[in-house]
Amino acid sequence: MSTTDAPPRDGHADVAEQGRICALATRGVRDLQEVTAAHPGLFSAATFDSALLGSVANAIAFTAPWHSAAELRITTRTLLWVFAADWQVDYLATSADDVRAVVAQCLAVADGADPPAGRHLARLLADIRDDLATVPAFDRFRPVWRDELARMFAAVAREWDWKNASRAPDGSLPTLDRYLDNADNLACSFVNATHWIATGDGECLRHLDELLTVGREVQRVLRLVNDLATHERDVEWGDLNALMLVPDPALVRDRLTQLTRRCQGLLDLLAERDPRQADYMRRQISFTAGFYQVSDFWGAR
């Protein structure tokens, strides 16, 4: 037997599994390349580089590796869409009217409207909506999906207002508590709702409300993990960040510890009824924490 034919040594099974997940992500990247090619007006900025596509695909593949690439297609595309939505509102919108227009167009698409001509973000959302419409559960859970999208946009618009109001002479920033209450701007809950509707079995969908409730707590953890890792970039780009809201960074780290401990308790309880979805959310936390030790999703501005 040649060395290339030899089975993996004991202890290397985890490496083989990681290789399989990376291959799953590779298929996701190739699909996202098709998305960006079909929507050049949405992904022309240098920030949407090939590394961002790879990071998006890896985030989904490592979080839900028990699915096939075909099953993860809608979730992966939705996460890429979230980055596009963030870019449209945070960096391209120059007025509150611009933000309201983006929100109104996308919510209209969620309600079944055709996207307006030239509105690339709404067009891609319509593609995702139409893909979801092929899933049997979507007819029943479409109001949930639409509600999560509305929550996301309300939070994104609120943060846009905070950022712009804070630049006024008498402007002020929100408290850390208010900022965390607005964590739907991270859009993790919207992506989760999309994922569970697209891939969830009967047991998952029967307690979707509970999953979304626990997921919203996980989202708060991810908000702080993100902020602790991206403070310098947020300062440079003019974004809000939890570290800007407190006098001592230790306060954010302490809050992250508290929120993580709470989440782990909630996930322990959830695991008694739905171990797979509890694992899905644990993997969200673990992947995000590991990823931000080394890199960021966005490319150079």
Side-chain angles (χ1 to χ4, degrees):
M1 178 182 288
S2 71
T3 55
T4 56
D5 293 330
R9 292 179 297 169
D10 290 346
H12 286 189
D14 57 338
V15 179
E17 172 63 4
Q18 290 162 10
R20 187 192 66 79
I21 296 172
C22 288
L24 189 64
T26 298
R27 293 187 61 182
V29 171
R30 288 175 178 149
D31 179 68
L32 294 183
Q33 288 172 334
E34 294 181 9
V35 173
T36 57
H39 299 272
L42 193 56
F43 298 105
S44 59
T47 48
F48 295 102
D49 60 8
S50 59
L52 184 144
L53 301 188
S55 300
V56 166
N58 271 288
I60 300 303
F62 272 90
T63 301
W66 43 81
H67 288 292
S68 68
E71 290 170 333
L72 292 178
R73 178 175 174 270
I74 293 175
T75 310
T76 307
R77 288 185 170 204
T78 300
L79 182 55
L80 179 64
W81 179 87
V82 163
F83 277 92
D86 185 59
W87 185 255
Q88 291 284 312
V89 173
D90 275 0
Y91 306 109
L92 298 186
T94 59
S95 69
D97 285 342
D98 288 345
V99 176
R100 283 193 289 268
V102 170
V103 173
Q105 290 157 13
C106 289
L107 291 181
V109 163
D111 289 331
D114 292 330
R119 298 301 181 178
H120 305 294
L121 186 69
R123 180 182 159 211
L124 179 53
L125 181 65
D127 291 347
I128 293 169
R129 176 203 65 195
D130 292 346
D131 283 345
L132 273 172
T134 67
V135 176
F138 187 56
D139 186 54
R140 176 185 171 192
F141 290 102
R142 183 171 186 157
V144 175
W145 183 75
R146 201 269 190 198
D147 180 63
E148 289 298 331
L149 179 67
R151 281 174 173 264
M152 183 204 87
F153 270 127
V156 167
R158 189 174 297 115
E159 179 168 316
W160 193 93
D161 289 339
W162 285 341
K163 286 193 304 183
N164 286 273
S166 69
R167 294 173 184 142
D170 59 346
S172 62
L173 291 170
T175 64
L176 180 59
D177 286 340
R178 287 196 70 198
Y179 179 76
L180 285 172
D181 286 343
N182 200 53
D184 280 320
N185 71 327
L186 194 63
C188 178
S189 189
F190 174 61
V191 173
N192 284 347
T194 305
H195 173 72
W196 286 320
I197 293 168
T199 67
D201 57 19
E203 180 61 26
C204 166
L205 295 173
R206 271 192 292 274
H207 59 270
L208 183 58
D209 285 348
E210 179 186 7
L211 293 179
L212 289 169
T213 297
V214 176
R216 221 173 292 281
E217 294 300 317
V218 171
Q219 183 175 243
R220 289 154 67 89
V221 170
L222 300 183
R223 174 76 276 170
L224 293 187
V225 171
N226 176 293
D227 284 10
L228 285 167
T230 63
H231 178 242
E232 290 185 7
R233 191 251 294 158
D234 288 338
V235 170
E236 179 185 350
W237 287 19
D239 271 346
L240 281 188
N241 184 293
L243 294 176
M244 302 172 186
L245 313 178
V246 296
D248 185 350
L251 295 173
V252 175
R253 290 191 288 270
D254 289 346
R255 180 64 69 86
L256 174 58
T257 299
Q258 295 166 11
L259 291 174
T260 302
R261 187 180 300 118
R262 170 176 166 75
C263 272
Q264 295 300 350
L266 292 172
L267 291 170
D268 286 344
L269 293 173
L270 177 64
E272 297 174 4
R273 296 182 293 283
D274 195 334
R276 171 156 289 185
Q277 301 313 328
D279 189 37
Y280 167 81
M281 286 186 272
R282 289 191 204 278
R283 293 177 73 97
Q284 279 185 331
I285 296 172
S286 297
F287 178 88
T288 304
F291 180 87
Y292 277 121
Q293 289 181 32
V294 178
S295 188
D296 188 5
F297 282 87
W298 291 108
R301 187 174 183 181

